[in-house]
């Protein structure tokens, strides 16, 4: 789920280095395997025919081991894929390197070697900063309105906070990216000033500002600052100035998810020495999630304070964490977690709450890659914690809370001749493991998301650091990723789906999440609940779930959605009081939207399939007929013949969206001609170095054509694979996931990518987000080609789409046991595929003919030849759409061979 404060008004490890690469936090080109073309040829085909996986050498200097051969059979591949697993070996996860130190620090490297010494941070008692004389006042061009802070106490943001000597209060302007902002300090008598020092909040740092002094008749320029990023910025004057006033004019601030604004905590009358806070920054090698844990050997008297700041990227690692739940809940933590270290030392696990009364607050669980440990304390925490002294630390780790994905826990796996694709698959699996966690009231989204009906249950959160609340739309991707890797944890999806169903509104609408007491109004997510429910049943065969919640499905499809349907039979946002409803990205779309209606067709189709499985034929027939009517209306009202693509909306500016066009194809709204045309339009208008944009222009909002959502990219990947465009799907994967893999924090999948390939909402962006893991089901279900066609894999199909990949192998977990697939595609018109199917299942295989006249054999016996049009006796074979489909395959091992017809 993509939720920013601006858009949402409601709102364990091995003792050694972690498995997988440590990604340098320096942007660079996406890595490319030198073996993308594969190691094909007749030898590969022959090897896979015998069940062997071909050897692939690791690219020189890449740091990732590629697949290599082993003993014949799929078991050899099972040994090779394990090297790509990214999860920790247990629940104790330790850092892999020291990124940097600042100030008076010794022995920092000992934090990488438990029992190997101590890291010591030392800070002398700082000098008292200079204070303005009594009677000094301050005024500002604007000030944010007061509100209530923690414990309901009033909190103000007026200019006087900048000269009150309390660094925990601040002046906050009342403008968003509107300049100039001015802060004027007036003293009662002339004061000799060598300069000033500006102390600001990390989320409101003035980047560009001027300083002027009053000479008795006019303002005189004293200094100009540009490009500032420091929260404590000394501004010396060219000469000492005698003045009765100082005016600071801000013309630029750092971007934040909320916009651009100024937050000045203090203006000191003097030039303060550089910040001497000692700091150690440790790097865990990839994003981790859990409770930070530090062991302090000792400390000086007086309880010196330690402040922890967390970040998923180096770019947003500052004195403040890139995100804290405290910021959303109003706790005055100033963006860090605090601890007062006793003289005898302590074994401290960071947990939510105050250490002493209402002082020394910590947030508890965090999702992060980098941790900054500082010897410092908030002024408001005195005397419980002091900002100076000496602290000895002998260990730091994370108590990992999420699903621990080890080679032994994977019940589904994937391997191919392309090292990059392998890495992306397991990076997505690890991302999803990070969000598979227990719902706990202390570390979920603080905005009214806690609920006793989920507390203590396994769920799929949408992000590791935020928003830690399960959203049903995210499950459309993350649940499929879960079923294909760790189906033993499928309860994480079921728990969420059942909980949302239990909170269905009287009119049939289903809430998207528990946030705001299950009231956040989203228009599209009830449709995703229908589709995700079918997915869950399809992969697990859970009839009890389907039977229990079937009445909810009836009520949402036959109650609420008809209430927002217009005379053309299309969903129209705005009807029945839905003007203010949002969607997956809180987009300002109203009226007939292709995305909503294509999703409606998919939901109706899925509901019909579930109804037929439960023996409710009348419901299935009704929904099937309605899906056809909606599809017809979409083509009549929303197809833009001039552009050759579906409109985003039938009203307003002309634009064409990735979400609507992709799902129109995957839901069967688009025929082959429209599908080809729509994908060609996306090729011509949305391709970026870091993926495909979700809009083809900026008429919805500025920068829309530069924003990439892996969430909406997933159905486009499926659309490309299923329309015979595997090469373009692979290109899109390599751009999207290659970019994320090769940029900080590496490995995990970002919530969204913005202009120039940056995190789309800066520090607020979740860099490990379950809805972005679509590369995994795309590679397993589409490239490898294994997918269910009836609940619980009672029937299945294998439809490989090789593109430029020479070979692939994998395993899909099913309730009956694993479905194992391997294939080799050494050249056009040649393919060897082996399926090992579990007992009690039947399926089909559909192999590409690559536009050639081919012969197809099953277990060595001819099943089809396009040269003569003949089929064998044992298997039903059909040639259609560039593929030959063989039906009626049973349990056990089956090998299908395609070769050019003689």
């Amino acid at each position: 789920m993509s939720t920013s404060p601006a858009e949402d008004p409601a709102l364990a490890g091995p003792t050694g280095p972690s498995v997988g690469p440590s990604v340098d936090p320096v942007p660079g080109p996406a890595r490319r395997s030198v073996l993308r073309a594969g190691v094909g040829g007749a030898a590969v085909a022959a090897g896979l025919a015998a069940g062997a996986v071909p050897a692939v050498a690791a690219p020189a200097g890449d740091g990732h081991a590629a697949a290599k051969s082993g003993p014949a059979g799929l078991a050899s591949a099972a040994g090779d894929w394990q090297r790509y697993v990214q999860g920790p070996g247990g629940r104790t996860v330790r850092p892999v390197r020291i990124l940097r130190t600042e100030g008076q620090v010794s022995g920092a490297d000992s934090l990488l070697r438990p029992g190997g010494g101590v890291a010591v941070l030392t800070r002398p008692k700082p000098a008292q900063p200079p204070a303005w004389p009594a009677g000094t006042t301050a005024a500002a061009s604007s000030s944010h309105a007061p509100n209530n802070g923690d414990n309901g106490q009033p909190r103000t943001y007026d200019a006087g906070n900048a000269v009150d000597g309390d660094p925990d209060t601040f002046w906050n302007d009342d403008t968003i990216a509107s300049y100039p902002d001015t802060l004027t300090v007036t003293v009662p008598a002339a004061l000799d000033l060598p300069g000033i020092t500006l102390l600001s909040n990390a989320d409101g740092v003035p980047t560009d500002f001027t300083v002027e002094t009053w000479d008795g008749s006019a303002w005189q320029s004293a200094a100009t600052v540009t490009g500032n990023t420091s929260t404590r910025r000394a501004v010396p004057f060219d000469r000492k100035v005698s003045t009765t006033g100082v005016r600071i004019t801000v013309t630029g601030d750092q971007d934040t998810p909320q916009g651009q604004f100024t937050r000045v905590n203090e203006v000191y009358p003097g030039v303060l020495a550089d910040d001497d806070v000692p700091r150690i920054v440790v790097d865990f090698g990839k994003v981790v999630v859990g409770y930070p844990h530090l062991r302090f050997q000792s400390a000086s008297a007086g309880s010196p304070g330690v402040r922890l700041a967390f970040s998923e990227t180096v770019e947003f690692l500052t004195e403040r964490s890139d995100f804290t739940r405290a910021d959303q809940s109003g706790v005055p933590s100033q963006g860090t977690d605090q601890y007062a270290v006793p003289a005898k030392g302590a074994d401290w696990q960071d947990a939510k709450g105050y250490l002493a009364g209402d002082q020394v607050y910590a947030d508890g669980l965090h999702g992060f890659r980098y941790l900054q440990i500082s010897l410092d304390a908030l002024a408001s925490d005195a005397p419980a914690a002091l900002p100076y002294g000496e602290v000895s630390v002998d260990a730091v780790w994370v108590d990992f809370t999420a699903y621990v994905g080890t080679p032994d826990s994977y019940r589904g796996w994937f391997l191919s001749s392309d090292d990059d694709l392998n890495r992306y698959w397991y990076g997505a699996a690890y991302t999803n493991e990070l969000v598979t966690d227990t719902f706990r009231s202390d570390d979920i989204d603080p905005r009214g998301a806690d609920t006793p009906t989920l507390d203590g249950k396994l769920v799929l959160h949408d992000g590791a650091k935020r928003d830690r609340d399960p959203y049903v739309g995210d499950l459309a991707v993350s649940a499929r990723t879960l079923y294909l890797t760790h189906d033993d944890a499928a309860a994480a999806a079921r728990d969420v789906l059942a909980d949302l169903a239990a909170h269905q509104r009287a009119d049939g609408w289903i809430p998207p999440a528990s946030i705001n007491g299950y009231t956040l109004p989203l228009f599209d997510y009830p449709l995703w609940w229908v589709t995700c429910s079918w997915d869950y049943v399809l992969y697990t065969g859970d009839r009890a779930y389907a039977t229990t919640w079937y009445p909810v499905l009836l009520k949402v499809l036959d109650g609420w959605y008809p209430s927002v349907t217009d005379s053309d039979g299309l969903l129209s946002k705005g009807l029945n009081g839905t003007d203010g409803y949002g969607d997956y990205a809180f987009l300002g779309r109203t009226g007939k939207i292709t995305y909503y209606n294509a999703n409606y067709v998919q939901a109706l189709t899925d509901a019909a399939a579930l109804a037929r499985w439960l023996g409710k034929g009348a419901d299935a027939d009704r929904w099937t007929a309605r899906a056809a009517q909606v599809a017809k209306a979409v083509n009549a009202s929303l197809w833009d013949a001039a552009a050759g693509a579906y409109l985003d909306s039938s009203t307003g500016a002309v634009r064409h969206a990735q979400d609507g066009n992709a799902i129109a194809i995957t839901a069967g709204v688009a025929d082959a001609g429209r599908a080809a045309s729509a994908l060609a339009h996306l090729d011509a208008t949305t391709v970026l170095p870091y993926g495909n944009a979700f809009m083809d222009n900026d008429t919805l909002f500025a920068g829309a054509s530069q924003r990439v959502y892996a969430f909406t990219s997933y159905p486009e990947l499926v659309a490309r694979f299923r329309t015979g465009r595997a090469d373009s799907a692979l290109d899109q994967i390599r751009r999207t996931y290659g970019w994320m893999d090769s940029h900080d924090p590496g490995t995990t999948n970002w919530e969204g990518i913005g202009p120039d390939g940056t995190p789309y909402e800066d520090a607020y962006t979740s860099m490990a987000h379950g809805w972005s893991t679509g590369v995994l089901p795309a590679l397993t279900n589409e490239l490898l080609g294994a997918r269910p066609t009836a609940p619980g894999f009672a029937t299945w199909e294998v439809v490989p789409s090789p593109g430029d990949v020479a070979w692939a192998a994998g395993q899909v977990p099913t309730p009956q046991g694993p479905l194992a697939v391997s294939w080799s595609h050494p050249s056009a018109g040649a393919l060897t595929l082996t399926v090992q199917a579990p007992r009690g299942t039947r399926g089909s295989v559909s192999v590409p003919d690559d536009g050639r006249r081919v012969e197809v054999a099953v277990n060595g016996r001819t099943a089809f030849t396009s040269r003569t049009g003949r089929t064998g006796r044992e298997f039903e074979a059909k040639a259609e759409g560039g593929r030959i489909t063989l039906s009626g395959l049973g349990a056990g091992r089956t090998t299908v061979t395609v070769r050019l017809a003689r």
Side-chain angles (χ1 to χ4, degrees):
M1 181 69 197
S2 170
T3 55
S4 81
E7 293 170 327
D8 176 12
L11 293 186
T15 56
S18 300
V19 177
S22 177
V23 178
D24 240 348
V26 179
R31 291 184 294 270
R32 291 291 180 261
S33 169
V34 298
L35 297 170
R36 176 159 300 132
V39 294
V44 176
L48 272 177
V53 176
V56 180
D62 187 53
H64 298 276
K68 65 179 183 179
S69 64
L74 289 174
S76 66
D80 289 332
W81 62 262
Q82 297 179 13
R83 70 188 69 240
Y84 291 94
V85 171
Q86 294 292 324
R91 296 210 172 273
T92 298
V93 184
R94 302 187 187 278
V96 298
R97 67 169 173 165
I98 303 299
L99 186 65
R100 63 172 181 262
T101 64
E102 299 174 21
Q104 196 170 336
V105 174
S106 64
D109 285 347
S110 65
L111 298 182
L112 306 180
R113 302 184 302 275
V118 296
V120 181
L121 297 85
T122 306
R123 186 187 188 192
K125 183 177 180 178
Q128 188 70 21
W132 294 98
T136 298
T137 60
S141 56
S142 70
S143 294
H144 194 283
N147 59 24
N148 288 335
D150 192 36
N151 300 322
Q153 298 300 311
R155 183 171 53 187
T156 62
Y157 302 100
D158 58 45
N161 290 335
V163 294
D164 65 358
D166 182 358
D168 288 344
T169 64
F170 53 84
W171 162 62
N172 197 139
D173 70 351
D174 199 31
T175 58
I176 299 294
S178 177
Y179 304 105
D181 292 325
T182 60
L183 175 68
T184 304
V185 179
T186 303
V187 294
L191 184 68
D192 289 339
L193 284 179
I196 64 168
T197 299
L198 205 66
L199 183 69
S200 57
N201 257 28
D203 58 352
V205 173
T207 56
D208 303 323
F209 60 94
T210 60
V211 181
E212 300 168 288
T213 57
W214 181 253
D215 68 359
S217 60
W219 289 104
Q220 302 296 327
S221 176
T224 299
V225 176
T226 59
N228 175 52
T229 59
S230 176
T231 57
R232 177 166 145 164
R233 179 60 185 258
V235 185
F237 299 159
D238 289 341
R239 56 183 175 78
K240 188 176 288 187
V241 176
S242 180
T243 184
T244 57
V246 175
R247 183 168 72 181
I248 301 167
T249 302
V250 181
T251 56
D253 293 304
Q254 288 180 326
D255 288 335
T256 72
Q258 297 89 344
Q260 291 180 308
F261 49 85
T262 302
R263 286 181 173 174
V264 175
N265 299 58
E266 288 297 314
V267 178
Y268 293 114
V271 181
L272 274 64
D274 290 342
D275 183 359
D276 59 354
V277 174
R279 300 181 176 92
I280 303 173
V281 178
V282 297
D283 175 9
F284 282 79
K286 61 175 73 70
V287 176
V288 295
V289 65
Y291 299 107
H293 205 136
L294 280 76
R295 190 168 60 225
F296 299 99
Q297 189 179 82
S298 62
S300 56
S303 299
V306 165
R307 296 179 67 182
L308 305 182
F310 303 87
S311 183
E312 291 180 303
T313 63
V314 167
E315 179 183 5
F316 298 112
L317 180 66
T318 67
E319 287 83 3
R320 291 178 59 94
S321 297
D322 59 359
F323 170 83
T324 71
R325 288 180 304 283
D327 289 339
Q328 294 183 304
S329 63
V331 173
S333 67
Q334 293 194 19
T336 56
D337 289 27
Q338 279 72 236
Y339 183 64
V341 185
K344 62 181 180 181
D347 188 349
W348 175 63
Q349 184 195 61
D350 188 343
K352 178 183 177 181
Y354 290 97
L355 182 65
D358 61 354
Q359 291 183 306
V360 192
Y361 184 82
D363 221 17
L365 181 142
H366 285 272
F368 65 99
R369 174 174 171 172
Y370 306 97
L371 165 60
Q372 178 173 277
I373 306 166
S374 303
L375 200 172
D376 195 12
L378 301 178
S380 57
D381 283 343
L386 299 179
Y388 57 88
E390 184 172 283
V391 171
S392 297
V393 190
D394 66 357
V396 57
W397 68 91
V398 171
D399 294 325
F400 195 83
T401 61
Y403 188 102
V404 178
T406 66
D408 289 340
S409 76
Y410 274 75
R411 292 155 62 108
W413 54 266
F414 172 85
L415 196 67
S416 77
S417 57
D418 190 317
D419 181 65
D420 290 343
L421 299 182
N422 300 337
R423 198 165 56 251
Y424 307 156
W425 196 95
Y426 290 93
Y430 178 63
T431 300
N432 215 52
E433 290 159 13
L434 290 172
V435 304
T436 307
D437 206 341
T438 302
F439 190 98
R440 294 176 293 268
S441 60
D442 278 353
D443 52 52
I444 59 167
D445 192 305
R447 297 169 296 178
D450 192 21
T451 172
T453 56
L454 280 180
D455 282 341
K457 292 184 178 179
L458 189 67
V459 299
L460 278 165
H461 290 298
D462 58 344
K465 78 173 181 184
R466 59 138 291 268
D467 300 337
R468 290 187 63 83
D469 191 27
Y471 282 83
V472 69
D474 299 54
L475 264 64
V477 181
S478 63
R480 288 189 184 181
T481 298
L482 183 68
Y483 306 145
L484 292 170
T485 53
H486 307 294
D487 67 326
D488 58 317
R494 183 196 62 214
D495 289 344
V496 177
L497 294 169
D499 185 67
L500 297 177
H503 287 85
Q504 185 176 37
R505 206 164 61 189
D507 63 358
W509 178 83
I510 300 172
S514 64
I515 188 171
N516 295 338
Y518 296 94
T519 63
L520 183 66
L522 298 187
F523 193 83
D524 54 337
Y525 273 30
L527 296 171
W528 284 123
W529 181 88
V530 175
T531 289
C532 289
S533 290
W534 172 239
D535 274 355
Y536 172 72
V537 170
L538 195 60
Y539 279 87
T540 67
D542 189 343
R543 186 176 289 270
Y545 171 88
T547 302
T548 300
W549 301 113
Y550 189 78
V552 171
L553 188 151
L554 275 168
K555 198 170 182 180
V556 70
L557 289 181
D558 289 350
W560 194 73
Y561 277 110
S563 78
V564 291
T565 299
D566 67 10
S567 58
D568 291 330
L570 292 174
L571 301 182
S572 183
K573 188 158 79 74
L575 296 178
N576 193 25
T578 57
D579 299 81
Y581 280 49
D583 57 22
Y584 67 90
F586 297 94
L587 302 173
R589 303 191 280 194
T590 58
K592 303 172 185 177
I593 309 298
T594 299
Y595 160 66
Y596 301 146
N597 283 283
N599 248 12
Y600 191 28
V601 172
Q602 185 65 63
L604 288 166
T605 303
D606 291 342
L610 191 147
R612 291 195 193 284
W613 185 57
L614 294 179
K616 300 180 183 296
D619 292 341
D621 291 343
R622 183 175 67 258
W623 290 331
T624 299
R626 193 191 308 171
Q629 292 167 358
V630 175
K632 182 177 180 181
V634 169
N635 286 322
S637 299
L638 291 164
W639 178 254
D640 181 358
Y646 289 97
L647 292 165
D648 180 44
S649 172
S650 63
T651 59
V654 173
R655 59 179 174 266
H656 310 86
Q658 179 189 52
D659 53 16
N661 278 276
I663 298 175
I665 298 169
T666 59
V669 174
D671 58 21
R674 284 192 172 98
S677 179
L679 291 174
H681 178 82
L682 296 181
D683 282 336
T685 60
T686 68
V687 173
L688 298 166
Y690 48 90
N692 285 10
F694 89 120
M695 287 286 168
D696 66 347
N697 61 44
D698 293 341
T699 58
L700 185 61
F701 63 84
S705 65
Q706 299 298 306
R707 180 175 293 187
V708 171
Y709 283 117
F711 175 65
T712 55
S713 295
Y714 169 56
E716 184 181 349
L717 295 176
V718 175
R720 291 183 180 279
F721 274 119
R722 295 201 179 183
T723 57
R725 293 165 176 80
D727 285 338
S728 69
L730 290 166
D731 170 68
Q732 187 177 342
I733 285 172
R734 287 161 180 151
R735 283 183 288 110
T736 309
Y737 290 90
W739 187 272
M740 292 187 285
D741 180 68
S742 63
H743 289 73
D744 197 23
T747 304
T748 51
N749 305 146
W750 309 0
E751 178 184 16
I753 310 176
D756 302 318
T758 59
Y760 81 123
E761 288 185 324
D762 299 315
Y764 188 76
T765 307
S766 167
M767 306 301 281
H769 218 69
W771 81 348
S772 296
T773 61
V775 65
L776 191 151
L779 290 175
T780 294
N781 293 152
E782 311 303 330
L783 179 80
L784 185 64
R787 49 193 186 238
T789 56
F793 280 86
T795 63
W796 44 263
E797 63 182 5
V798 176
V799 188
S801 297
D804 63 11
V805 177
W807 61 265
Q811 178 174 292
V812 177
T814 85
Q816 292 78 27
L819 172 67
V821 178
S822 68
W823 52 254
S824 168
H825 186 248
S827 60
L831 182 140
T832 299
L833 180 147
T834 297
V835 179
Q836 184 77 36
R839 291 182 179 179
T841 70
R842 297 190 67 79
S844 65
V845 167
S846 181
V847 291
D849 62 18
D850 297 316
R852 310 294 180 94
R853 297 171 68 180
V854 298
E855 295 177 352
V856 180
V858 177
N859 295 332
R861 301 178 64 177
T862 300
F864 174 86
T865 174
S866 57
R867 181 175 58 85
T868 63
R870 291 183 302 183
T871 62
R873 298 177 180 177
E874 191 173 351
F875 299 97
E876 181 183 346
K878 180 174 68 173
E880 186 177 22
R883 286 186 172 273
I884 297 95
T885 301
L886 305 168
S887 303
L889 278 64
R893 182 185 181 89
T894 303
T895 298
V896 178
T897 304
V898 181
R899 63 183 181 185
L900 292 175
R902 295 189 180 92

